[in-house]
Amino acid sequence: MDRLSGLDASFLYLETPEQLMHVCGVLILDPSTMPDGYSFASVRETLDARVRKVAQFTRKIRRVPLDLAHPVWVHDDHFDIDHHLHRMALPAPAGHDELMEICGHLAGLPMDRGRPLWEMVVIEGYQDGSGDPKVVVFSKMHHATVDGASGSNLISHLCSLEPDAPPLAPESPQRPARKPGSLELFGRGVISTLAQPLAIPRMVVPSVGLIADTIGRARKGTAMAPPFTAPRTSFNGTITGHRSIALADMSLDDIKAVRAATGATVNDIVLSIAGGALRAYLNDRGELPDAPLLASVPVSVREESKREGGANKVSALFARLGTDIADPLERLQAMTDANRNAKEHHKAISADTLQDWAEFAAPRTFGLAVRAYAGLRLAEKHPVVHNLVISNVPGPPVPLYFMGAQITGLHPLGPVFHGAGLNITVLSNNGVVHVGIIACKESVRHPERMVAHFPAELARLVEATTAPQPS
């Protein structure tokens, strides 16, 4: 019996009809590389064969009686690929705007918790301007099943390095686990509930030490940016279930050139570009605040974690984005200095702190609290915790093939939250940095105006670092 970790289960409890907790991906495929040509039937057949060999694709959620403990994973005996793979076609002529509209609609649809928590929609008829037709796959996976790293590993079961090569990840067939009865789940839930108080002292002592360390760092000016210090913007409020999406591409070679010239990390550069893009977007709207925007940046702790179970092994740090600085090089320098302190501060936090405290998330209480928070629109009444979430996910440096079709675009999209209705995720793939923006549609109706500033900001950085310096 595989129980969800507290952190995995928290993404189930956080979910409401407006605050959907799945992560999405837009895969743009070149079907001309498929050995036998493209057909939906062949994609369906190959995908069905591959996912059946990976337990994560064929397991579903089962609740514990009375919600005494976190849910467990059980094998879906009635797994049917037709419940998870769908097909649709864009009306001709269909370009980027039409694709973004349908992707935004799909992102706003909740998933069926009675089945394995993933879906894919094959979208045909897309013209990207190159003259060659493309096939798009819009994927959805619940955050309870994956984080950035585990999601990449899971996708490797479906992709290959050559059009006719086997998947990157080796086959890992697993026997369906024994299904526990309701009485067993109830008994285990009671034991788990009674044992929880025993774990509190083990977590309180290091947490108190962390608070003391944070206070010391704050006095010396070496602490990461604190939450609840973000300025309010138009995308910081109560969200709806409608989503808007925008995509863009940047050159990884250009980012590496900036890194070589400045000594900044790729993550520093990405955050600085995001800060410049947000500054330009808000300035165009006459909404640029005096204080810098504050981003929550997920950090993988998979290598440092001592916990074996759980799909999500993440922590987070807070970073000011320098939206109050006009010069791109000055912003990057400020970002580099601030991130150096934030990373050192983050290292002082145990990799398993968030996972350990998440074990105390009570299913009913947590869910009721989230609904009350949204219903009372509390996100608009207290100081802004953070303005948005920004994730930087390393991807493959070589071409990848999905069912034989080369992936020419791999844009990730994360969830948005009440109080932070904007999520920016970037992923590198074969020399290209793909940018994905997803937002509450009522808060950001035209995300394409925001994402257009990303390549422009990178160009400003490249120009600033290559321009001859005065003697």
Side-chain angles (χ1 to χ4, degrees):
M1 181 175 63
D2 188 7
R3 184 177 73 90
L4 275 74
S5 71
L7 188 55
D8 294 346
S10 294
F11 289 108
L12 295 175
Y13 311 151
L14 281 169
E15 191 164 59
T16 69
E18 298 78 30
Q19 186 169 273
L20 300 170
M21 289 291 105
H22 48 246
V23 294
C24 306
V26 181
L27 283 72
I28 301 175
L29 309 177
D30 179 3
S32 66
T33 64
M34 301 182 77
D36 299 320
Y38 167 77
S39 74
F40 179 77
S42 65
V43 170
R44 178 190 178 280
E45 181 181 359
T46 306
L47 184 67
D48 188 25
R50 291 186 180 181
V51 298
R52 288 182 182 274
K53 298 174 181 177
V54 184
Q56 289 91 331
F57 285 111
T58 58
R59 65 185 186 181
K60 63 181 182 178
I61 295 290
R62 181 173 176 183
R63 293 172 57 185
V64 174
L66 303 181
D67 288 327
L68 286 174
H70 302 311
V72 298
W73 293 113
V74 297
H75 181 75
D76 184 5
D77 294 332
H78 304 287
F79 176 81
D80 187 340
I81 191 64
D82 291 330
H83 292 152
H84 302 272
L85 180 65
H86 312 286
R87 180 189 192 187
M88 64 189 317
L90 294 172
H96 189 76
D97 292 343
E98 290 77 15
L99 178 63
M100 293 302 94
E101 183 178 357
I102 193 62
C103 287
H105 171 73
L106 294 172
L109 300 177
M111 302 179 72
D112 185 353
R113 291 197 184 183
R115 298 191 175 108
L117 294 176
W118 68 275
E119 295 176 4
M120 288 185 182
V121 180
V122 177
I123 304 172
E124 301 170 352
Y126 172 56
Q127 298 285 342
D128 65 352
S130 66
D132 299 321
K134 296 293 190 294
V135 175
V136 177
V137 174
F138 187 84
S139 68
K140 294 164 64 173
M141 302 191 75
H142 202 283
H143 219 320
T145 66
V146 292
D147 61 11
S150 60
S152 298
N153 292 336
L154 206 53
I155 291 296
S156 67
H157 289 278
L158 309 179
C159 297
S160 59
L161 295 177
E162 298 291 341
D164 54 355
L168 282 170
E171 294 182 5
S172 56
Q174 301 183 28
R175 287 186 175 183
R178 176 185 61 84
K179 289 190 176 181
S182 297
L183 185 59
E184 180 183 352
L185 285 176
F186 178 79
R188 288 178 177 268
V190 170
I191 294 173
S192 176
T193 301
L194 294 176
Q196 276 189 343
L198 302 177
I200 293 179
R202 175 173 56 85
M203 292 184 292
V204 167
V205 174
S207 296
V208 171
L210 174 61
I211 294 173
D213 178 70
T214 299
I215 294 173
R217 289 176 182 272
R219 288 175 176 171
K220 293 185 293 184
T222 59
M224 76 172 75
F228 294 100
T229 60
R232 189 170 293 279
T233 70
S234 54
F235 43 81
N236 298 124
T238 304
I239 63 174
T240 71
H242 305 140
R243 299 291 179 265
S244 57
I245 289 174
L247 313 176
D249 291 335
M250 299 187 297
S251 167
L252 183 58
D253 286 340
D254 284 348
I255 291 179
K256 289 180 178 179
V258 174
R259 181 184 64 181
T262 63
T265 67
V266 170
N267 195 57
D268 294 337
I269 297 168
V270 166
L271 290 176
S272 182
I273 291 171
L278 287 163
R279 173 186 168 86
Y281 170 79
L282 291 171
N283 192 51
D284 291 344
R285 293 170 54 88
E287 299 177 4
L288 181 63
D290 294 331
L293 267 61
L294 182 67
S296 174
V297 183
V299 178
S300 174
V301 295
R302 191 162 297 274
E303 298 298 326
E304 297 84 8
S305 176
K306 299 178 182 178
R307 306 289 177 263
E308 294 184 0
N312 286 271
K313 295 187 183 296
V314 294
S315 182
L317 59 81
F318 293 94
R320 292 193 177 96
L321 297 179
T323 51
D324 56 332
I325 303 174
D327 185 86
L329 271 182
E330 289 182 16
R331 185 187 314 112
L332 177 58
Q333 184 60 56
M335 183 69 62
T336 302
D337 294 339
N339 279 351
R340 186 181 301 113
N341 291 331
K343 291 170 187 174
E344 291 177 356
H345 189 178
H346 184 265
K347 288 180 180 178
I349 304 173
S350 169
D352 296 314
T353 297
L354 183 58
Q355 297 178 71
D356 289 342
W357 280 109
E359 290 298 326
F360 291 89
R364 290 185 180 276
T365 305
F366 210 96
L368 289 173
V370 171
R371 283 165 174 76
Y373 182 85
L376 296 172
R377 304 182 74 89
L378 295 181
E380 301 164 14
K381 299 175 182 178
H382 61 67
V384 177
V385 181
H386 58 115
N387 296 110
L388 71 158
V389 177
I390 300 182
S391 300
N392 180 18
V393 182
V398 295
L400 285 185
Y401 297 83
F402 180 86
M403 308 298 150
Q406 183 176 353
I407 299 176
T408 60
L410 183 55
H411 300 269
L413 303 164
V416 296
F417 303 86
H418 290 297
L422 173 66
N423 185 297
I424 300 174
T425 307
V426 301
L427 183 147
S428 57
N429 168 46
N430 192 29
V432 180
V433 176
H434 302 293
V435 182
I437 290 182
I438 184 169
C440 167
K441 190 172 185 178
E442 282 73 13
S443 302
V444 185
R445 288 195 173 274
H446 298 286
E448 68 277 3
R449 298 175 184 174
M450 182 187 298
V451 82
H453 290 293
F454 274 76
E457 281 299 316
L458 175 57
R460 291 182 67 204
L461 267 177
V462 171
E463 182 181 4
T465 55
T466 56
Q469 299 299 313
S471 59

